[in-house]
């Protein structure tokens, strides 16, 4: 395999953050010697998440075996996933905001144990359903565990306890028509064809759409990590990958 110098468009603060956590982890488990020091292992994990490099590519680039590359990347991902905020953490932060925005997205995948549970009729492709909460400026607060793509957004929000948590904290939430019937503090647009809505309802829907448009910033942030654009791993690992990306993003944006 040919090897060439390349770059990873991630801030140095993310590298320092992950390097420090890996260094602490190694001390905690008593790991004395590794093929890569914490800084190089952190760079390997960032290249995997940000660029979507395969383990074979990472192994060639860092001069280690493919199995070692897999082990190092997986260790870093699991460590980061444990640092990601929980829904309760996000609700505490959200309670200080004027409102939050809730939306769902599909993370495409090419590895599925069965067709139907992972096929999204809305997106016309297989993948994993992910729910996201943002602040009024579209900044990420929380990302949910991944569910099969066939799960509808409103059902996913209920299963994760998002609707109940927002209602209990009395936090106003803007969401699209996919969350119709969620009730609680979740606000959705008026239902119906545009031409059948009254002038007032159309004005409300326009205002609602302008607010909700800010959530696209959060989706773009998530999918700037190329590994999430086309998942080629077991569906059981998707939640850990998303939580790892969220932890890195929040750490580097502080």
């Amino acid at each position: 395999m040919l090897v060439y110098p390349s770059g990873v468009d991630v801030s140095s603060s993310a590298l320092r953050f992950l390097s420090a956590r890996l260094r602490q982890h190694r001390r905690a488990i008593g790991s004395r010697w590794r093929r890569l020091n914490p800084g190089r292992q952190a760079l390997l994990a960032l290249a995997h998440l940000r660029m979507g490099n395969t383990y074979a590519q990472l192994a060639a680039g860092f001069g280690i075996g493919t199995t070692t590359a897999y082990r190092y990347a997986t260790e870093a991902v699991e460590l980061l996933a444990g640092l990601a905020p929980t829904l309760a953490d996000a609700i505490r932060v959200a309670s200080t905001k004027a409102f939050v925005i809730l939306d769902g997205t599909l993370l495409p995948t090419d590895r599925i144990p069965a067709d139907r549970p992972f096929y999204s009729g809305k997106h016309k492709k297989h993948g994993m359903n992910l729910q996201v909460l943002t602040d009024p400026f579209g900044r990420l607060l929380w990302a949910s565990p991944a569910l099969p793509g066939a799960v509808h957004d409103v059902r996913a929000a209920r299963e994760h306890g998002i609707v109940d948590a927002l209602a209990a904290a009395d936090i106003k939430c803007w969401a699209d028509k996919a969350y119709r019937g969620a009730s609680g503090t979740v606000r959705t647009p008026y239902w119906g064809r545009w031409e059948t809505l009254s002038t007032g309802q159309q004005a409300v829907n326009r205002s609602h759409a302008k607010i909700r448009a800010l959530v696209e910033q959060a989706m773009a942030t998530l999918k700037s990590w190329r590994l999430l654009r086309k998942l080629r791993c077991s569906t059981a690992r998707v939640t850990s990958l998303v939580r790892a990306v969220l932890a890195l993003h929040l750490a580097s944006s502080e």
Side-chain angles (χ1 to χ4, degrees):
M1 183 178 293
L2 298 176
V3 180
Y4 66 95
S6 184
V8 182
D9 56 339
V10 179
S11 68
S12 58
S13 60
L15 179 63
R16 290 194 298 269
F17 172 79
L18 181 52
S19 298
R21 296 302 177 277
L22 286 169
R23 198 171 291 110
Q24 292 172 1
H25 175 68
R26 290 187 183 189
R27 283 199 296 265
I29 64 175
S31 179
R32 295 185 177 182
W33 182 86
R34 300 267 188 112
R35 290 292 302 277
L36 299 181
N37 62 36
R40 294 288 286 172
Q41 183 182 355
L43 183 59
L44 180 148
L46 290 175
H48 178 55
L49 292 169
R50 187 69 168 189
M51 310 304 293
N53 294 148
T54 64
Y55 299 120
Q57 291 170 328
L58 294 171
F62 285 85
I64 56 178
T66 303
T67 302
T68 303
Y70 169 80
R71 187 171 66 251
Y72 282 3
T74 301
E75 180 181 48
V77 166
E78 294 299 329
L79 183 61
L80 286 169
L83 301 174
T86 63
L87 178 57
D89 295 330
I91 292 297
R92 280 194 293 272
V93 175
S95 64
T96 65
K97 311 294 182 180
F99 61 88
V100 295
I101 306 172
L102 171 63
D103 201 8
T105 189
L106 187 81
L107 302 180
T109 181
D110 67 350
R111 186 170 300 182
I112 50 173
D115 287 340
R116 298 310 304 173
F118 295 88
Y119 183 77
S120 169
K122 175 182 177 181
H123 298 276
K124 309 300 181 185
K125 62 178 70 173
H126 294 86
M128 302 295 288
N129 179 296
L130 188 72
Q131 300 295 302
V132 170
L133 280 176
T134 77
D135 69 8
F137 300 98
R139 293 180 296 224
L140 273 170
L141 295 178
W142 178 76
S144 74
L147 292 175
V151 177
H152 196 272
D153 283 339
V154 69
R155 176 185 161 194
R158 288 192 180 116
E159 287 194 18
H160 294 310
I162 302 170
V163 176
D164 291 340
L166 291 172
D170 194 27
I171 299 171
K172 294 182 178 65
C173 173
W174 265 252
D176 64 18
K177 292 180 180 179
Y179 297 89
R180 184 186 180 207
S183 67
T185 57
V186 178
R187 298 182 177 182
T188 58
Y190 283 106
W191 184 265
R193 292 181 178 276
W194 184 258
E195 59 273 12
T196 64
L197 299 178
S198 68
T199 303
Q201 289 173 331
Q202 290 178 356
V204 169
N205 279 11
R206 285 195 195 95
S207 176
H208 193 284
K210 288 179 182 178
I211 294 172
R212 276 203 60 263
L214 296 171
V215 79
E216 296 305 322
Q217 176 182 323
M219 297 307 183
T221 296
L222 276 177
K223 294 186 179 180
S224 66
W225 298 81
R226 294 175 180 82
L227 191 69
L228 300 183
R229 295 181 189 176
K230 185 67 172 181
L231 295 162
R232 294 178 174 84
C233 61
S234 166
T235 54
R237 294 192 60 229
V238 177
T239 295
S240 292
L241 291 172
V242 172
R243 289 179 61 81
V245 165
L246 179 61
L248 276 172
H249 169 71
L250 294 177
S252 60
S253 60
E254 289 179 350

